[in-house]
Amino acid sequence: MRLEQMYTGCLAHAAYYLESNGEVALFDPLREVQPYIDRAAKDNAKIKYVFETHFHADFVSGHLNLAQQTGATIVYGPTAKPGFEALVAEDNQWFEVGKCKIKLIHTPGHTMESSCFLVLDEEGKELALITGDTLFIGDVGRPDLAQHVIAELTQDKLARHLYHSLREKIMPLSNELIVFPNHGAGSACGKMMSKETTDTLGNQKRTNYALDPKLSEDDFVAAVLNGLAPPPQYFPKNVLMNINGYDSFTTVMGRGMKPYDAVTFETIIHETNVLVLDTRKASDFAAGFIPNSINIGLDSNFAMWVGEIIEDLNQRILIVAESNEKVEEAIIRLSRVGYDHTIGYLDGGFESWSNACNPVERVGRISAKEVEDVFFGTTLIIDVRKRSEYESEHLVGAVNIPLNEIKKRIGEFPKEDPFIIYCAGGYRSMVAASLLKQRGYHRFVDVEEGFVEIKKTSMPRTAYICPSTLL
């Protein structure tokens, strides 16, 4: 048998591939399913089941495309009400994949249908527990997401379900089980996940705060709910896509991979409700970009920031990228979080735009040393990192306006007076810069490499507080 974690770093997402005796089960697959189909073909195996641990909020799963292309059965836990053909299993129901067995364990809490899957190897030995968003390494799934889809649920009710699921369903299991969660550090589905993506259940019982046997139910609820930031706005929208269905991945790619020359591109961007999304690196964008375009670079958590910044999943998007390969990557990563309406890209990239003598804008950038030597103490400085990062350590006097709050706090940026923005390393501050430029703010500069470089200067900073204590 083979049980493989297939980890996608930009989403902090883990899917699982299980093969035994010519049959395959997939757990929580991504939207683009061809790699799974190719892998099964390489193993001369047939995909039999697609197991979904729950209706995901942070990505659009590939369950429908897999079922349509391979005939696999989609499986959910009890209480699930999918808008398509699927097997809604019972608690403790068994499934066979080749010579392996899989037991569905209903673990409501993160969502009501949330389930874990206990994997027995070909000898009948309990080997692994695929936990979805019920149990992470060092954390548990946040219990406040489902309430944004089902009105009668509350985060308190869900947290109490999670408390009992963990203690009655998970903690009695063998310490030797390998825990395979759906996410690692960086996902917004938890608040303090480890960078590790697997562990033994025994070690999690010893080290995971949520599995502390001394915690009362009320103390558990308080600990799990403490310090939860509002979920990204696209989360409930992705849930509904996973429940109700979506366009095929082939359709999305076909719609998006349409090249336009600079002349046609300029014509299209003047149509109503078309957004130009520039996916180049921050340094390249700063040196020159199409007016009113937004920069969200492919070189970091692209899909997550698209989901935070672009509110309408049906937004028509035109791509600017470094190459056709990068265009394809952008469309794939957009589709993973439900942005299916890319309508084309600038053929030849930004160079073709500038060669056509079209208007170009730029973002001023300065070094941290220049801030120290010239501007510190006389110019407003705005920190666009997350609130927890700011509270952990920041430049004395800097004002915190997190990137995901800029649109609703835009009035706090001065239009007439100069100001400086920074983030951790320059990625998010350039996203912020593009949003500010789009809204008519021009009297600002960005700090190259952000707080990383600021810390190398002698400018005063607040006392450091470990982020792990900022729940």
Side-chain angles (χ1 to χ4, degrees):
M1 76 171 271
R2 297 181 181 88
L3 178 56
E4 178 181 345
Q5 182 183 75
M6 306 175 82
Y7 199 78
T8 304
C10 64
L11 279 179
H13 164 273
Y16 295 92
Y17 175 94
L18 171 64
E19 187 275 332
S20 172
N21 200 36
E23 292 185 338
V24 169
L26 288 163
F27 301 81
D28 296 333
L30 287 177
R31 181 82 173 271
E32 65 278 17
V33 301
Q34 195 59 47
Y36 307 120
I37 295 172
D38 292 345
R39 177 59 189 275
K42 182 180 177 181
D43 290 338
N44 196 28
K46 177 179 174 57
I47 299 174
K48 183 177 182 180
Y49 291 114
V50 180
F51 291 108
E52 292 286 349
T53 56
H54 62 294
F55 291 121
H56 303 282
D58 62 311
F59 71 99
V60 179
S61 177
H63 53 291
L64 284 178
N65 287 335
L66 277 168
Q68 291 162 1
Q69 294 183 47
T70 70
T73 298
I74 303 169
V75 180
Y76 284 96
T79 78
K81 296 179 180 179
F84 44 83
E85 184 176 351
L87 171 59
V88 178
E90 298 177 358
D91 189 20
N92 297 321
Q93 185 168 338
W94 287 95
F95 299 86
E96 293 185 358
V97 177
K99 296 181 179 179
C100 295
K101 290 187 175 181
I102 299 168
K103 181 182 181 181
L104 184 147
I105 303 173
H106 187 210
T107 51
H110 176 64
T111 67
M112 287 307 295
E113 77 284 350
S114 284
S115 298
C116 299
F117 294 92
L118 178 64
V119 178
L120 277 62
D121 68 15
E122 295 172 339
E123 307 302 320
K125 179 184 177 182
E126 294 183 355
L127 175 69
L129 186 68
I130 296 173
T131 56
D133 286 18
T134 295
L135 177 64
F136 298 127
I137 308 306
D139 201 1
V140 290
R142 54 190 294 171
D144 65 323
L145 300 182
Q147 65 180 348
H148 295 276
V149 179
I150 303 174
E152 60 267 24
L153 291 175
T154 67
Q155 60 183 20
D156 182 85
K157 287 180 181 178
L158 287 161
R160 293 180 188 280
H161 278 296
L162 183 58
Y163 175 83
H164 290 284
S165 291
L166 292 169
R167 277 146 184 80
E168 297 165 15
K169 300 291 190 70
I170 303 300
M171 292 175 69
L173 296 174
S174 169
N175 289 342
E176 284 70 42
L177 284 174
I178 304 299
V179 175
F180 287 123
N182 191 203
H183 298 292
S187 168
C189 292
K191 59 184 179 181
M192 47 189 292
M193 284 177 265
S194 168
K195 293 180 181 179
E196 301 299 322
T197 60
T198 64
D199 195 7
T200 64
L201 182 56
N203 194 49
Q204 283 303 292
K205 290 177 186 178
R206 290 188 293 273
T207 61
N208 191 319
Y209 76 99
L211 301 187
D212 184 346
K214 297 188 295 294
L215 274 182
S216 69
E217 183 173 333
D218 287 341
D219 288 342
F220 172 88
V221 171
V224 168
L225 297 182
N226 183 38
L228 284 178
Q233 61 84 28
Y234 70 100
F235 271 28
K237 301 170 186 177
N238 277 193
V239 171
L240 292 176
M241 288 182 71
N242 282 317
I243 292 174
N244 297 325
Y246 45 76
D247 287 345
S248 74
F249 181 71
T250 301
T251 298
V252 173
M253 290 301 299
R255 186 159 50 218
M257 289 299 294
K258 293 179 181 177
Y260 294 108
D261 60 34
V263 173
T264 307
F265 196 86
E266 183 183 27
T267 300
I268 296 173
I269 64 176
H270 289 107
E271 294 181 4
T272 303
N273 198 31
V274 175
L275 173 69
V276 178
L277 180 59
D278 192 319
T279 65
R280 295 176 298 153
K281 295 179 180 179
S283 57
D284 294 335
F285 181 85
F289 62 92
I290 297 171
N292 294 316
S293 59
I294 292 176
N295 175 235
I296 306 178
L298 283 171
D299 55 328
S300 188
N301 293 328
F302 171 75
M304 295 181 187
W305 282 113
V306 166
E308 288 275 17
I309 301 301
I310 303 174
E311 296 177 0
D312 184 5
L313 289 190
N314 295 315
Q315 173 70 58
R316 293 194 300 161
I317 295 172
L318 288 166
I319 300 291
V320 177
E322 297 165 354
S323 65
N324 287 359
E325 290 76 19
K326 293 294 186 181
V327 171
E328 184 175 359
E329 179 185 346
I331 298 170
I332 290 171
R333 291 170 69 175
L334 285 166
S335 74
R336 288 173 179 168
V337 287
Y339 292 84
D340 288 356
H341 296 280
T342 300
I343 61 170
Y345 65 94
L346 179 58
D347 195 17
F350 180 74
E351 184 178 357
S352 70
W353 177 270
S354 58
N355 287 344
C357 298
N358 286 320
V360 171
E361 287 199 33
R362 294 173 178 83
V363 174
R365 307 189 89 189
I366 60 176
S367 68
K369 190 71 171 65
E370 288 178 274
V371 177
E372 180 180 33
D373 292 345
V374 180
F375 299 103
F376 185 74
T378 63
T379 305
L380 173 66
I381 299 177
I382 299 176
D383 183 330
V384 301
R385 296 176 301 160
K386 292 188 297 184
R387 191 170 291 111
S388 60
E389 293 173 277
Y390 176 84
E391 292 172 351
S392 175
E393 185 181 24
H394 62 267
L395 196 57
V396 168
V399 175
N400 184 219
I401 304 179
L403 174 57
N404 64 341
E405 297 180 16
I406 281 180
K407 288 185 178 180
K408 65 182 179 183
R409 297 177 62 183
I410 193 71
E412 297 178 41
F413 292 87
K415 265 205 169 172
E416 303 304 325
D417 298 325
F419 61 94
I420 297 168
I421 60 174
Y422 74 84
C423 66
Y427 178 90
R428 285 173 287 175
S429 58
M430 193 53 60
V431 180
S434 67
L435 292 172
L436 290 165
K437 285 281 189 177
Q438 191 184 57
R439 287 156 177 76
Y441 291 81
H442 301 289
R443 299 198 65 192
F444 70 91
V445 291
D446 168 53
V447 180
E448 289 186 80
E449 300 185 51
F451 199 62
V452 170
E453 290 299 308
I454 287 172
K455 289 168 68 173
K456 297 177 183 178
T457 71
S458 60
M459 287 185 286
R461 304 188 304 275
T462 59
Y464 178 77
I465 301 172
C466 180
S468 65
T469 67
L470 296 171
L471 300 181

